Amino acid sequence: MSVFSTSRLMVVFAVGWLCGSGAVQGQVPRKQEAIPQGPPSGSAKADPIRISAGSPSIRRITADHSLSLPNWCSAGPYARDGEPLFTSMTRKEPSYKLYHNAYWHAHKWYALVPPDAMLRDGCQPGVPSSAACAARGSDADGSRVNSADGGSVDGLRSSPLEEGLSVNCALINLPVSNISAFTDNMRAGFLPGTTLLVDFPFPAFPDNLGHWAEIMFTTYSVLADGAWRNNTVGNRGRYVDRILLPNLRKEMNDWFKEILAVAASPGVRRGGPPVPSIIDHADLEAFPKLSWLIIENLLVVQDRYTHPERKTGFIGADHGDLWRYDGCARYVNRAWEIGFSDPSFAAAFRAAIYKRAGLPYVPGWEPGTPPPAPVSGSPRVMTLLLAHEDYPPLVNWEDVQATMHKVASAAGLVVRTVTLSTDAPFASHLDTYARSSVLVARHGPLLATASLMAPGSTVFELLPYKWEWLGISKLYYNMTRSTGDLHHFAWRPTDHRLAHYDHENYTRYHTWTPEECSARECLMVHGRAGLTVNLTEFETLLRAKLPDVLAGKGVEELREPWPKAL
Ligand SMILES: *[C@@H]1O[C@H](CO)[C@@H](O)[C@H](O)[C@H]1NC(C)=O
Ligand SMILES: *[C@@H]1O[C@H](CO)[C@@H](O)[C@H](O)[C@H]1NC(C)=O
Ligand SMILES: *[C@@H]1O[C@H](CO)[C@@H](O)[C@H](O)[C@H]1NC(C)=O
Ligand SMILES: *[C@@H]1O[C@H](CO)[C@@H](O)[C@H](O)[C@H]1NC(C)=O
Ligand SMILES: *[C@@H]1O[C@H](CO)[C@@H](O)[C@H](O)[C@H]1NC(C)=O
């Protein structure tokens, strides 16, 4: 069950827009895994909740409540007594933002704001581009950030609150005039320090490795860069204490799990657990319905799908691109670059994940010299990677294989064919890629591991006919490009006879332009259609690139324009 294109498209319609609602990874909940689950160190679990002038009855209820809290949150507040717990947000970089005092309650996210911070004349919350409003926001917000409170930041200024918290989570502004009265009587659990929010864009299809990779590589880059630490508040915000997965379960696909472990690693406390504890959808479901969760620092890494104002349903120059068919809209920011923000992060990620998987150290490559064989002493390998059960099909894969043999022997490469499914152990995926100097595969989630190939390696990607939706055909290309040391070429059919639709009704789509083919059915039809490779063109591409690749020519020197979807 690893149908990239079909899954990716169907999910757009299956996903609920509210966090925690809609489809969730439907795996059988297993016994909790060996992920550290204890309360954060130094948490004041035993402390009674702050009660101001509460009546005895309130005190009793609150005490009972603290017993019913799960052990992953603290009953003791992280803030100093009397400090107002208004919500604020800091966005210093396009790649991430931090919410301070974020509230989660009954499956929704809330920002507690002073009444005067609600819509001011001519200002809209969450519009960072509006300088006047941003300036006014900062003035008004300055006092809301507890930067002076022994925090790690001096003079931290908050930004206008973005209501598009993350792709599937909206932030509801709740004006509160007396914040201490409001929070003192609140049944609450606290998450001190920093919590990393990971909102999977397509939760109904959790086997979509490509979309996991696109958010994880950015997450790793943000955490490794470290500038986010300076935007946190409180004494213990400088490390990621836990990961919050509002729409996935911690019993996730092995590929997801391994990638997440390494992606989060630059954020963890030295000497602490190697992987932060995970609060998942099931944990949130079980959280007492009348209680609130208050999060000191909520770190949200940017993806291609989150609009700061959570705008959906419009198409306009300022809104980017929205996919709005069948009552569903999906915003995609095409300007947002996925992948590692710097090649050094790609190299560090690769080194960490090879080590974790027990593979020998990543062979280095000096452009200008032939890349070393991934397994020293063995011939270089050229792999044809096929999806489990060959679906969606690569119709003439045996001919593709024969063509590879023909070209490879001249180049001193050994050809092999490997079949993988998306739920195969991560180690199988990584091993397949780590051993391949050259890899040929149809576009699909199995290509998500391509960015982890050894430096100087090469991907030849076979794109389906008319497969283009807001730059989606470049999903894997953009990721490998961000590493700076991988070659990535693609072939794509321009003749509809090379696409094999699974019903004759669908042949009508073959004349549609890529722009016209942005609705669900057309994209799904093309995504799952069988693909025949034009062997002449494929062989020409291999012969044009392989000798130079194997001679060690530079990645930019050999780069080709991406083939157009005609
Ligand atoms: C806020 O509420 C508390 C009671 O919880 C009260 O003591 C305090 O005076 C109130 N503050 C304002 C400004 O009304
Ligand atoms: C954090 O702030 C300090 C002081 O302003 C600065 O020296 C340091 O470089 C900053 N760290 C990062 C990672 O930006
Ligand atoms: C890849 O990057 C190009 C810009 O180079 C962009 O147009 C396209 O939308 C991106 N696609 C993805 C999936 O990131
Ligand atoms: C194909 O089109 C015909 C006529 O419009 C329709 O009756 C039939 O249900 C369609 N079949 C599929 C599989 O879409
Ligand atoms: C394959 O590509 C070649 C060169 O572009 C073209 O002449 C030939 O007609 C194509 N064959 C098929 C079956 O599309």
Side-chain angles (χ1 to χ4, degrees):
M1 213 306 282
S2 55
V3 188
F4 167 75
S5 25
T6 316
S7 338
R8 195 190 58 74
L9 292 165
M10 287 182 63
V11 74
V12 174
F13 301 93
V15 160
W17 277 102
L18 280 179
C19 243
S21 75
V24 166
Q25 175 164 10
Q27 290 182 1
V28 185
R30 273 187 265 124
K31 227 173 145 240
Q32 288 222 331
E33 305 194 358
I35 292 163
Q37 277 295 300
S41 60
S43 78
K45 180 85 176 75
D47 289 355
I49 193 164
R50 251 187 317 165
I51 295 171
S52 57
S55 67
S57 68
I58 288 175
R59 184 177 296 272
R60 186 171 47 76
I61 289 167
T62 322
D64 288 344
H65 149 80
S66 76
L67 291 176
S68 69
L69 283 178
N71 67 355
W72 46 261
C73 67
S74 162
Y78 48 74
R80 250 189 348 214
D81 223 25
E83 181 184 295
L85 293 176
F86 280 123
T87 306
S88 63
M89 191 197 96
T90 314
R91 182 188 273 286
K92 289 280 152 73
E93 305 278 343
S95 55
Y96 69 91
K97 58 189 170 183
L98 271 153
Y99 289 89
H100 315 295
N101 304 322
Y103 291 77
W104 188 89
H105 173 65
H107 307 294
K108 290 189 170 63
W109 291 91
Y110 294 90
L112 266 49
V113 296
D116 65 357
M118 292 298 283
L119 277 182
R120 277 168 289 214
D121 285 348
C123 295
Q124 273 187 292
V127 190
S129 53
S130 166
C133 298
R136 286 216 267 161
S138 292
D139 290 341
D141 294 346
S143 60
R144 290 202 258 136
V145 178
N146 53 346
S147 52
D149 178 41
S152 47
V153 196
D154 279 333
L156 180 67
R157 289 290 179 190
S158 60
S159 320
L161 281 173
E162 290 178 19
E163 290 174 34
L165 176 69
S166 62
V167 50
N168 298 301
C169 304
L171 192 66
I172 300 164
N173 276 321
L174 202 61
V176 177
S177 50
N178 188 334
I179 185 79
S180 34
F182 192 88
T183 54
D184 283 357
N185 290 312
M186 192 180 245
R187 299 167 164 221
F190 294 83
L191 293 178
T194 293
T195 303
L196 173 68
L197 180 75
V198 180
D199 184 358
F200 185 55
F202 304 98
F205 293 88
D207 62 346
N208 211 305
L209 313 184
H211 293 302
W212 189 244
E214 72 172 303
I215 53 176
M216 285 294 114
F217 294 167
T218 311
T219 299
Y220 182 85
S221 304
V222 165
L223 294 177
D225 173 72
W228 65 276
R229 295 181 201 272
N230 276 0
N231 301 167
T232 59
V233 299
N235 289 323
R236 41 174 305 148
R238 299 176 67 82
Y239 298 94
V240 172
D241 286 297
R242 66 196 76 73
I243 299 166
L244 187 58
L245 300 175
N247 54 17
L248 291 177
R249 294 198 197 284
K250 41 173 106 66
E251 298 83 9
M252 56 179 78
N253 170 319
D254 192 53
W255 200 97
F256 273 44
K257 198 156 114 189
E258 292 301 299
I259 294 285
L260 176 63
V262 172
S265 62
V268 303
R269 201 177 291 278
R270 300 278 165 266
V275 181
S277 62
I278 293 176
I279 300 169
D280 70 358
H281 176 77
D283 293 325
L284 291 177
E285 280 287 308
F287 190 75
K289 293 286 174 284
L290 296 176
S291 298
W292 295 65
L293 200 53
I294 314 183
I295 303 172
E296 189 170 23
N297 295 286
L298 185 67
L299 175 60
V300 186
V301 172
Q302 191 61 43
D303 58 29
R304 291 202 334 140
Y305 313 101
T306 306
H307 191 285
E309 290 172 76
R310 206 183 141 70
K311 282 224 166 104
T312 57
F314 304 94
I315 290 183
D318 54 335
H319 299 152
D321 302 292
L322 293 158
W323 199 23
R324 37 147 213 172
Y325 290 90
D326 303 329
C328 190
R330 174 69 78 171
Y331 165 82
V332 176
N333 178 359
R334 269 191 282 185
W336 178 246
E337 285 185 26
I338 62 168
F340 296 99
S341 66
D342 189 280
S344 68
F345 296 146
F349 187 97
R350 207 150 36 188
I353 202 130
Y354 275 53
K355 189 170 172 211
R356 190 175 158 90
L359 288 178
Y361 199 71
V362 192
W365 172 49
E366 197 60 53
T369 65
V375 181
S376 64
S378 308
R380 294 200 191 94
V381 170
M382 184 186 201
T383 303
L384 173 61
L385 180 60
L386 295 175
H388 185 54
E389 295 180 337
D390 193 28
Y391 188 85
L394 191 59
V395 174
N396 59 341
W397 68 267
E398 282 163 306
D399 298 332
V400 168
Q401 192 185 42
T403 305
M404 287 166 63
H405 273 290
K406 199 160 74 175
V407 177
S409 47
L413 291 162
V414 172
V415 174
R416 59 171 190 166
T417 300
V418 174
T419 302
L420 278 176
S421 62
T422 53
D423 55 7
F426 173 76
S428 306
H429 285 258
L430 186 61
D431 195 64
T432 300
Y433 278 88
R435 286 171 185 276
S436 305
S437 292
V438 182
L439 186 128
V440 177
R442 178 183 165 133
H443 175 96
L446 297 179
L447 275 173
T449 316
S451 301
L452 307 178
M453 291 176 91
S457 303
T458 305
V459 178
F460 288 96
E461 182 173 358
L462 307 170
L463 296 165
Y465 183 59
K466 297 251 164 118
W467 179 248
E468 198 56 78
W469 168 64
L470 307 180
I472 194 65
S473 75
K474 283 183 162 180
L475 182 67
Y476 303 105
Y477 174 77
N478 288 358
M479 289 193 264
T480 58
R481 191 180 48 180
S482 74
T483 69
D485 55 18
L486 295 174
H487 303 280
H488 194 143
F489 309 102
W491 172 83
R492 108 149 100 192
T494 51
D495 185 334
H496 69 87
R497 282 168 301 180
L498 300 177
H500 309 281
Y501 304 112
D502 48 14
H503 194 279
E504 61 183 24
N505 285 15
Y506 301 143
T507 53
R508 69 178 185 276
Y509 287 121
H510 79 244
T511 55
W512 289 33
T513 67
E515 290 72 30
E516 287 163 345
C517 189
S518 59
R520 173 178 63 165
E521 187 172 84
C522 182
L523 276 167
M524 284 178 57
V525 161
H526 282 120
R528 66 173 185 253
L531 169 67
T532 298
V533 176
N534 180 321
L535 300 169
T536 314
E537 292 179 357
F538 177 59
E539 184 174 337
T540 304
L541 177 64
L542 290 184
R543 289 197 188 279
K545 291 298 167 191
L546 274 183
D548 285 342
V549 157
L550 297 173
K553 285 208 178 157
V555 167
E556 290 313 318
E557 191 183 342
L558 296 183
R559 194 176 296 287
E560 290 291 333
W562 196 244
K564 285 199 165 54
L566 296 174

